[in-house]
């Protein structure tokens, strides 16, 4: 345990990588997820089908397999990036499918009349999505979206097995070097994750409350 | 009434007016259900056409088909000489030219009353916020809800919401307005405030297609009554003629039922 | 005596045959030392010792690596693991009168060696298990029976020639391993993977510049892929492989140490080395000096 406190900068650095992975893939997943959700509810049947296939395939694929694909298979096909980028790509591919479904359920909770009214004032499909449907859908989406993001935060730990020295990987260094203190080291790192997840849940519930006040 | 009589009747009222909305041989099915049967209808500029008929007669579908909230299976619909585009930007541009008022108001619930009225002008017409808000407030004043500008739709009564919806449509400076049973979801005491706004619009020369059960409005503000049953136009006439001397049995039956009270 | 000896040889032959058929360079370490299984071993140990219990039971569970060619490796088609650690484990088992076929091999990875020993899931661990003071706080470690040091495995012709060249370069090993910790301290960018073979793949496809761990392990991988991979530089750490045992049974230390000493002296240790790690061309080193057992 002494070892952990003596090298606490390494712990912080590792959690910072965890946070970077979370933030970058979180933003990318939201963007891609919104795009996919738009495709799924949109008027173009080819895009609808493509998005549906993507979501079905990715949601039914273990995250580990996607990591193996991005980190092991893709480099052999000469598709290679630096480690952080690969981590963000793998997490985004996976998470965006869940974001898509969360948002789609939110979109479906917005009454059809809202979309009709938006279109009837001349907004295009994208315009009515952006101005009318999505802002309302996000509200209904907040609770499921928060779960997806919490899962993402914890999923970053899969990167530990793929060259990413984030919190879980760093924990394994400490436990390997300090066989006598495994339990305490484990609890220390677990506490780090708990703090991050709690911050995330707190932020999500604040947003939810704020939005609920806005519409009453 | 025969096909030729129907056409001549229609032309009698719109002959002098430049045609704005033309439906030609429009058919639509919902599965096996034939909801629009060979609809031919021409609405001239500045004309107020009131569509009445029993529920399920296809009048709402007709109204929604004109700005393509419903697609049609056969025939054509043209607005100001241009055919209705399929999808995309061209269709959006056309919809901006045709205001629509819904039975259930459909105000944007996450936006304030003023934002509801300025969204279209800013995002679609590209007006500046200042300009859009100035005009928006003027329109809200015209429909009598100026003092509610900063509230959210859920804070307003049904009648107020519907008047805002009319203002929202007018903010786009449309060539024509479609009203799909605008008073059917309102409490009786609120119906008049909405109808007053519509009568005012009609008097200012707005081209209007109004699907309604309000016979009083049809009489006072309508130039023409279109009576529909089972997806087809059964009879068209001036309000005076239609209400005092309906030609078809279906219309007589319908009027008999609603005017008895 | 004669009978059991024949059986041991037969077992060795079978192993060699399996390895040959599999054609996997990593598993061609069969044959092994010509170890004689002790008869009536149980009577040699005082009652109440763990050795006596194991000898009476006639079977033992030993944790080894399954993914390190030359040390502890089990190919997909193999029935039993092979390698230097495995041969040393057989020598220890034989002294308890336990035949190789009565050994249950359990795969241990770096992370679960201590928990497996503490919970009694395995009786012994011979899994490239470096002796460290921290580990000795929670488990017993007798030995060492082999000395090695950390080296680098690179693609042939790499700009990385020694540990001095790894500053700022991406170097992979197993997540959480001491080796990765060491290169991080030397300025490399550490990339941890779950297994050595995944790490090796990263070297092969050029994603990372080098793989690092004990030279003995790297030699095994270089031998598997001699056209593409090579081990470079002098060892830059000292690793002392020990035999892990449950700390609650301290009597095991003297037994293990005695048997290791015997194998050093009677040539079985060298035979084990020659049949496994020695196949890469390496000469058997001097047998290491054993640590004294803790005084109870």
């Amino acid at each position: 345990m002494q070892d952990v406190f003596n090298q606490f900068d390494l712990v912080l650095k590792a959690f910072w990588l965890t946070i970077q992975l979370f933030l970058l893939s979180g933003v990318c997943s939201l963007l891609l997820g919104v795009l996919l959700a738009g495709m799924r509810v949109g008027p173009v049947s080819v895009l609808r089908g493509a998005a549906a296939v993507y979501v079905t395939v990715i949601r039914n694929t273990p995250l580990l397999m996607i990591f193996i694909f991005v980190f092991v298979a893709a480099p052999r096909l000469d598709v290679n990036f630096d480690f952080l980028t690969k981590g963000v790509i793998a997490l985004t591919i996976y998470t965006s499918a869940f974001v898509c479904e969360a948002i789609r359920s939110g979109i479906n909770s917005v009454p059809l009349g809202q979309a009709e009214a938006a279109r009837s004032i001349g907004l295009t499909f994208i315009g009515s999505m952006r101005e009318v449907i999505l802002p309302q859908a996000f509200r209904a989406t907040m609770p499921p979206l928060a779960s997806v993001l919490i899962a993402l935060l914890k999923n970053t730990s899969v990167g530990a097995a793929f060259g990413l020295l984030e919190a879980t990987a760093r924990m394994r260094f400490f436990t390997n070097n300090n066989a006598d203190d495994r339990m305490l080291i484990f609890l220390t790192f677990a506490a780090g994750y708990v703090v991050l997840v709690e911050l995330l849940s707190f932020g999500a519930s604040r947003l939810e409350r704020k939005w609920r006040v806005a519409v009453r | 009434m025969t096909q030729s009589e129907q056409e001549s009747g229609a032309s009698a009222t719109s002959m002098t007016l430049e045609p704005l909305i033309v439906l030609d041989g429009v058919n639509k099915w919902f599965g096996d259900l034939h909801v629009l049967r060979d609809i031919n209808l021409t609405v001239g500029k500045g004309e107020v056409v009131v569509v009445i008929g029993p529920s399920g007669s296809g009048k709402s579908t007709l109204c929604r088909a004109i700005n393509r909230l419903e697609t049609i299976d056969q025939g054509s619909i043209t607005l100001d000489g241009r055919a209705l585009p399929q999808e995309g930007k061209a269709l959006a541009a056309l919809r901006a030219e045709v205001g629509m008022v819904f039975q259930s108001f459909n105000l944007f619930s996450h936006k304030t009353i003023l934002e509801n009225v300025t969204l279209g002008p800013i995002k679609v017409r590209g007006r500046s916020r200042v300009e859009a808000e100035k005009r928006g407030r003027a329109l809200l004043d015209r429909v009598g809800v100026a003092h509610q500008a900063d509230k959210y739709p859920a804070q307003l009564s049904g009648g107020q919401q519907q008047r805002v919806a009319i203002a929202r449509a007018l903010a786009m400076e449309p060539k024509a307005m479609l009203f799909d049973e605008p008073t059917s979801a309102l409490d009786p005491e609120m119906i008049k405030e909405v109808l007053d706004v519509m009568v005012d619009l009609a008097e200012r020369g707005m081209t209007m297609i109004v699907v309604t059960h309000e016979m009083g409005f049809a009489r006072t503000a309508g130039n023409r009554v279109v009576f529909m049953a089972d997806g087809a136009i059964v009879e068209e006439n001036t309000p005076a003629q239609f209400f005092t001397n309906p030609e078809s049995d279906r219309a007589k039956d319908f009027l008999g039922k609603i005017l008895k009270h | 005596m004669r009978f059991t000896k024949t059986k041991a040889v037969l077992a060795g032959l079978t192993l060699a045959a399996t390895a040959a058929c599999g054609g996997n360079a990593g598993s061609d370490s069969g044959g092994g030392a010509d170890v004689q299984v002790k008869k009536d071993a149980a009577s040699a140990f005082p009652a109440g010792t763990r050795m006596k219990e194991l000898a009476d039971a006639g079977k033992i569970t030993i944790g080894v690596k399954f993914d390190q060619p030359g040390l502890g490796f089990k190919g997909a088609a193999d029935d039993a693991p092979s390698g230097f650690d495995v041969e040393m484990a057989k020598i220890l088992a034989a002294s308890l009168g336990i035949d190789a076929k009565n050994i249950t091999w359990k795969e241990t990875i770096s992370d679960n060696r201590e928990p497996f020993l503490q919970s009694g899931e395995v009786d012994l661990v011979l899994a490239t298990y470096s002796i460290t003071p921290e580990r000795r706080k929670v488990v017993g470690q007798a030995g060492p029976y082999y000395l090695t040091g950390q080296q680098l495995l690179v693609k042939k012709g790499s700009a990385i020639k020694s540990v001095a060249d790894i500053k700022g370069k991406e170097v992979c090993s197993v997540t959480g391993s001491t080796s990765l910790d060491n290169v991080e301290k030397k300025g490399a960018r550490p990339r941890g993977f779950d297994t050595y073979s995944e790490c090796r793949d990263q070297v092969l496809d050029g994603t990372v510049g080098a793989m690092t761990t004990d030279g003995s392990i790297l030699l095994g991988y270089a031998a598997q892929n001699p056209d593409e991979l090579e081990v470079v530089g002098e060892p830059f750490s000292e690793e002392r492989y020990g035999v892990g045992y449950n700390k609650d049974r301290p009597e095991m230390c003297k037994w293990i140490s005695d048997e290791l000493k015997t194998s050093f002296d009677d040539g079985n240790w060298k035979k084990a080395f020659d049949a496994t790690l020695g196949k890469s061309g390496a000469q058997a080193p001097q047998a290491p000096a054993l640590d004294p057992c803790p005084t109870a």
Side-chain angles (χ1 to χ4, degrees):
Chain A
M1 218 37 214
Q2 205 58 40
D3 196 28
V4 176
F5 289 119
N6 288 345
Q7 303 181 69
F8 206 69
D9 56 321
L10 292 181
V11 179
L12 294 178
K13 220 174 109 190
F15 269 108
W16 172 233
L17 181 58
T18 295
I19 293 169
Q20 276 178 301
L21 278 168
F22 167 73
L23 289 179
L24 290 172
S25 37
V27 168
C28 294
S29 300
L30 283 177
L31 292 176
L32 185 57
V34 167
L35 184 71
L36 285 167
M39 284 164 70
R40 284 208 77 170
V41 300
V44 186
S45 65
V46 178
L47 296 182
R48 264 205 309 270
V53 168
Y54 178 90
V55 168
T56 308
V57 170
I58 299 301
R59 279 213 308 174
N60 294 309
T61 305
L63 176 59
L64 187 61
M65 275 185 59
I66 295 173
F67 263 88
I68 291 172
F69 179 80
V70 173
F71 280 82
V72 181
R76 290 192 194 167
L77 306 170
D78 272 336
V79 181
N80 212 344
F81 305 94
D82 67 83
F83 278 84
L84 179 61
T85 308
K86 278 189 280 193
V88 170
I89 290 173
L91 287 166
T92 299
I93 288 174
Y94 184 75
T95 311
S96 58
F98 291 87
V99 170
C100 168
E101 286 307 274
I103 291 178
R104 195 173 67 105
S105 73
I107 290 173
N108 287 341
S109 76
V110 178
L112 186 61
Q114 293 287 314
E116 293 190 339
R119 284 186 286 166
S120 76
I121 60 165
L123 287 169
T124 57
F125 172 74
I126 290 171
S128 54
M129 272 291 161
R130 193 178 52 213
E131 301 296 333
V132 176
I133 308 301
L134 287 178
Q136 297 186 57
F138 267 121
R139 259 163 229 171
T141 298
M142 211 50 218
L145 206 54
S147 319
V148 169
L149 290 177
I150 287 169
L152 168 65
L153 181 57
K154 295 185 290 180
N155 284 343
T156 55
S157 63
V158 176
F162 294 90
L164 291 162
L165 190 41
E166 43 66 79
T168 301
R170 181 54 77 191
M171 179 190 82
R172 289 172 69 177
F173 278 111
F174 282 117
T175 53
N176 186 57
N177 291 345
N178 304 274
D180 49 332
D181 256 344
R182 288 191 164 201
M183 196 47 85
L184 271 174
I185 293 168
F186 175 79
L187 289 174
T188 306
F189 278 84
Y193 278 107
V194 169
V195 167
L196 289 181
V197 169
E198 281 304 313
L199 281 174
L200 188 57
S201 317
F202 178 72
S205 66
R206 281 291 295 268
L207 264 183
E208 213 179 313
R209 209 170 310 144
K210 192 177 143 198
W211 278 345
R212 205 181 304 146
V213 170
V215 232
R216 296 189 324 143
Chain B
M1 189 177 182
T2 66
Q3 184 80 11
S4 63
E5 276 172 328
Q6 185 181 340
E7 274 168 4
S8 66
S11 58
T13 39
S14 55
M15 184 65 86
T16 50
L17 301 166
E18 199 184 329
L20 183 66
I21 299 169
V22 179
L23 286 79
D24 185 18
V26 172
N27 277 285
K28 179 178 177 68
W29 288 265
F30 282 136
D32 287 338
L33 194 64
H34 201 167
V35 286
L36 293 179
R37 295 174 193 260
D38 296 319
I39 302 291
N40 294 297
L41 179 68
T42 302
V43 179
K45 269 187 187 148
E47 196 181 6
V48 177
V49 173
V50 179
V51 183
I52 62 174
S55 58
S57 60
K59 51 194 194 308
S60 271
T61 308
L62 175 74
C63 186
R64 291 161 58 83
I66 292 171
N67 71 348
R68 215 169 185 279
L69 288 177
E70 301 282 355
T71 56
I72 57 173
D73 299 313
Q74 272 176 19
S76 72
I77 300 176
T78 57
L79 178 82
D80 216 0
R82 284 179 298 143
L84 244 60
Q86 285 294 304
E87 268 299 337
K89 283 216 167 77
L91 178 62
L94 175 129
R95 283 186 178 133
E97 303 290 324
V98 182
M100 176 99 189
V101 177
F102 300 88
Q103 180 177 345
S104 49
F105 331 135
N106 294 346
L107 291 180
F108 305 133
S109 57
H110 62 303
K111 295 201 176 286
T112 64
I113 297 308
L114 185 62
E115 286 167 347
N116 263 275
V117 181
T118 57
L119 180 69
I122 293 170
K123 297 293 173 187
V124 180
R125 294 274 190 244
R127 301 261 193 282
S128 73
R129 178 166 299 279
V130 177
E131 189 188 344
E133 284 186 356
K134 188 177 160 214
R135 214 184 117 67
R137 285 184 195 280
L139 281 168
L140 290 177
D141 188 44
R142 181 167 144 196
V143 299
V145 286
H147 55 295
Q148 314 276 26
D150 297 319
K151 291 188 179 170
Y152 284 90
Q155 295 167 285
L156 268 59
S157 73
Q160 289 170 325
Q161 287 194 53
Q162 194 61 300
R163 284 183 279 153
V164 174
I166 294 170
R168 176 176 69 180
L170 288 175
M172 300 303 293
E173 298 169 49
K175 289 178 179 165
M177 291 273 287
L178 307 171
F179 293 82
D180 185 6
E181 304 204 23
T183 55
S184 300
L186 294 176
D187 292 337
E189 74 271 22
M190 294 173 183
I191 292 175
K192 187 176 177 298
E193 64 190 49
V194 173
L195 290 179
D196 285 348
V197 170
M198 291 168 62
V199 168
D200 176 61
L201 255 182
E203 283 168 356
R204 289 171 186 235
M206 175 61 75
T207 308
M208 294 162 68
I209 295 180
V210 184
V211 175
T212 187
H213 295 295
E214 294 301 323
M215 299 305 148
F217 174 82
R219 266 185 223 267
T220 53
N223 299 118
R224 186 154 45 118
V225 172
V226 169
F227 176 72
M228 285 183 76
D230 299 328
I233 294 179
V234 176
E235 188 171 341
E236 289 185 68
N237 224 322
T238 58
Q241 275 289 322
F242 179 80
F243 287 110
T244 54
N245 192 14
E247 291 170 12
S248 63
D249 292 341
R250 291 295 303 262
K252 282 177 192 156
D253 183 46
F254 176 74
L255 288 174
K257 276 180 189 156
I258 60 165
L259 294 180
K260 251 175 198 154
H261 304 281
Chain C
M1 187 78 163
R2 207 183 141 69
F3 178 67
T4 42
K5 183 179 171 182
T6 320
K7 256 170 56 180
V9 171
L10 270 176
L13 281 174
T14 320
L15 247 174
T18 325
C21 293
N24 191 325
S27 51
D28 65 357
S29 46
D34 183 12
V35 184
Q36 296 181 359
V37 175
K38 219 183 207 175
K39 217 175 164 187
D40 287 336
S43 58
F45 297 104
T49 63
R50 184 65 187 144
M51 292 76 81
K52 170 86 169 157
E53 289 168 25
L54 291 167
D56 282 343
K59 49 189 184 197
I60 187 167
T61 303
I62 301 178
V64 294
K65 296 255 171 129
F66 277 13
D67 65 341
Q68 288 175 14
L71 286 155
F73 186 87
K74 186 167 176 286
D78 300 338
D79 292 330
S82 57
F84 182 60
D85 284 347
V86 175
E87 292 308 316
M88 291 309 294
K90 285 179 189 165
I91 290 171
L92 291 175
S95 75
L96 297 175
I98 300 171
D99 191 80
K101 72 177 185 345
N102 287 325
I103 302 173
T104 306
W105 301 107
K106 188 126 197 160
E107 181 177 16
T108 52
I109 59 167
S110 297
D111 270 359
N112 65 18
R113 289 174 299 200
E114 292 87 14
F116 272 18
L117 283 170
Q118 285 169 321
S119 67
E121 199 139 343
V122 296
D123 300 304
L124 296 173
V125 163
L126 288 93
T128 66
Y129 199 14
S130 295
I131 296 171
T132 70
E134 288 80 15
R135 285 176 180 156
R136 274 191 164 153
K137 283 183 199 158
V138 283
V139 296
Q141 286 185 312
Y145 61 91
Y146 186 67
L147 302 181
T148 182
Q150 190 175 349
Q151 282 178 286
L152 298 166
L153 178 76
V154 298
K155 254 187 162 174
K156 277 208 164 150
S158 163
I160 298 174
K161 302 285 182 213
S162 77
V163 68
D165 301 327
I166 61 169
K167 214 174 163 71
K169 297 267 170 38
E170 285 177 332
V171 177
C172 70
S173 190
V174 166
T175 305
S177 64
T178 318
S179 318
L180 205 52
D181 214 9
N182 288 341
V183 293
E184 186 182 15
K185 288 183 181 118
K186 292 186 188 300
R189 300 170 68 184
R191 295 298 176 192
F193 288 82
D194 250 14
T195 62
Y196 286 110
S197 52
E198 280 170 328
C199 174
R200 186 246 351 243
D201 289 349
Q202 299 286 311
V203 176
L204 279 173
D205 68 31
T207 305
V208 303
M211 163 174 176
T212 188
T213 184
D214 303 342
S216 51
I217 299 170
L218 298 178
L219 281 175
Y221 281 109
Q224 271 187 333
N225 228 329
D227 297 334
E228 289 184 84
L229 299 172
E230 62 179 342
V231 177
V232 295
E234 290 298 308
F236 51 94
S237 75
E238 193 194 47
E239 303 298 331
R240 304 156 68 238
Y241 288 175
V243 179
Y245 60 91
N246 189 322
K247 213 181 178 185
D248 296 339
R249 309 310 289 260
E251 71 274 15
M252 292 176 90
C253 182
K254 184 167 184 315
W255 160 63
I256 296 167
S257 295
D258 287 350
E259 289 305 324
L260 290 177
K261 184 87 183 64
T262 307
S263 74
F264 295 165
D265 296 340
D266 67 10
N268 275 337
W269 179 78
K270 186 174 181 305
K271 279 184 201 158
F273 183 88
D274 289 342
T276 55
L277 288 173
K279 291 207 165 168
S280 64
Q283 290 297 310
Q286 285 284 314
L290 295 167
D291 289 355
C293 281
T295 43

